[in-house]
Amino acid sequence: MRKCAVLSALAASLPFAAHAQKASDASTSVHNPAVVTIASAILPGAGQAIMKQKRSALYFALEGAGLAYYFSRHNRGVSERSLYRKISRDVARAPFSSGGPDGSWDYYERMEKYIESGEFDRVAGGDIDPESNEETFNGSMWLLARQTFWRDPASPPSAESAEYRAAVEFYVSRAVKPEYRWSWSGDPQAFQRFRSAIASSNSAFRDAEQVMSFVLANHFLSAVDAYTSIRLRVKRSPGGSTSMIASYSF
């Protein structure tokens, strides 16, 4: 009878023992430095929330505010970029090509600095005849090519010479091609709107980049804070048990 009573008591204690083991496992997981550190690295404040620290709310708030501002400025940059590309197509590029391809950032930067691109080849057929008007972008590239490869930029060598061919190759690699030709000479107001849109787009993208650095720093600081806090909270005894040595609520 006594043996049966002991077995019955042991059986009754099994659910409680299992529950206690689960609680112990959960506590070990919660107070594992890797768990809280990785949680905070992924979502700032998450590790602090696991440890029930009130400052988790600060990390959450900074993350939310940072991301909201980032997307706001990034979207503004995209919108202004679309605007200056549209102005360039509808005004400066319209007389030369309809629906031409979008250019790289450098292309629009050149459009901002030069009223006209100039012609790529002044005489159709045969060899390339570079733009001679040095006030245009292509003309300035031809001047730079002559200054780079000719002894005297105003005195051309033979068209068959290596110097002349090198200058033409330099020009062809940098000059604006016909499908990208532009001119703002007919609408100075549109040119000002174009430049304003570029400045606004650049400013918005720059702000977005800066705030993203802040967001990433928030991830890093939260992870370091979580790791430091959990190392202060948890102490491994020689026997392997876990005991709390410090607890912060803020």
Side-chain angles (χ1 to χ4, degrees), residues 71-111:
F71 285 113
S72 172
R73 297 304 290 163
H74 179 78
N75 291 340
R76 176 64 183 274
V78 170
S79 176
E80 291 296 300
R81 182 177 62 193
S82 298
L83 176 60
Y84 71 67
R85 287 179 175 179
K86 183 179 187 303
I87 295 173
S88 71
R89 284 195 303 268
D90 294 348
V91 180
R93 300 175 63 184
F96 310 108
S97 62
S98 57
D102 288 332
S104 64
W105 160 242
D106 290 341
Y107 169 68
Y108 295 103
E109 187 177 41
R110 294 163 188 164
M111 291 185 75

Side-chain angles (χ1 to χ4, degrees), residues 18-222:
H19 178 75
Q21 181 61 43
K22 289 180 180 180
S24 176
D25 292 344
S27 176
T28 300
S29 176
V30 165
H31 300 300
N32 186 318
V35 171
V36 296
T37 302
I38 293 174
S40 283
I42 295 173
L43 177 61
Q48 287 76 12
I50 291 173
M51 293 183 287
K52 303 186 184 303
Q53 294 175 325
K54 293 180 180 179
R55 63 176 175 270
S56 63
L58 176 61
Y59 286 111
F60 288 142
L62 291 175
E63 180 76 357
L67 289 177
Y69 187 73
Y70 168 80
F71 285 113
S72 172
R73 297 304 290 163
H74 179 78
N75 291 340
R76 176 64 183 274
V78 170
S79 176
E80 291 296 300
R81 182 177 62 193
S82 298
L83 176 60
Y84 71 67
R85 287 179 175 179
K86 183 179 187 303
I87 295 173
S88 71
R89 284 195 303 268
D90 294 348
V91 180
R93 300 175 63 184
F96 310 108
S97 62
S98 57
D102 288 332
S104 64
W105 160 242
D106 290 341
Y107 169 68
Y108 295 103
E109 187 177 41
R110 294 163 188 164
M111 291 185 75
E112 184 184 14
K113 295 179 179 178
Y114 290 86
I115 298 296
E116 298 184 39
S117 64
E119 295 185 78
F120 177 72
D121 185 5
R122 292 183 296 110
V123 181
D127 296 331
I128 297 292
D129 294 284
E131 173 63 69
S132 59
N133 182 357
E134 295 171 7
E135 297 298 318
T136 66
F137 176 77
N138 283 354
S140 70
M141 289 297 100
W142 180 231
L143 173 62
L144 179 60
R146 300 195 318 266
Q147 292 172 336
T148 302
F149 296 99
W150 296 1
R151 293 183 179 180
D152 181 358
S155 179
S158 168
E160 302 300 323
S161 66
E163 294 86 350
Y164 192 93
R165 292 197 303 271
V168 171
E169 290 176 2
F170 180 93
Y171 170 80
V172 169
S173 68
R174 289 165 173 77
V176 171
K177 305 303 187 292
E179 64 270 23
Y180 290 100
R181 187 178 176 184
W182 79 80
S183 174
W184 295 107
S185 59
D187 197 335
Q189 291 184 344
F191 183 43
Q192 291 304 317
R193 293 198 306 272
F194 171 81
R195 298 181 72 180
S196 177
I198 280 188
S200 180
S201 177
N202 289 346
S203 177
F205 280 128
R206 186 165 52 250
D207 289 347
E209 182 178 350
Q210 290 174 351
V211 78
M212 181 50 66
S213 297
F214 165 80
V215 169
L216 294 176
N218 190 41
H219 283 249
F220 175 76
L221 291 175
S222 179

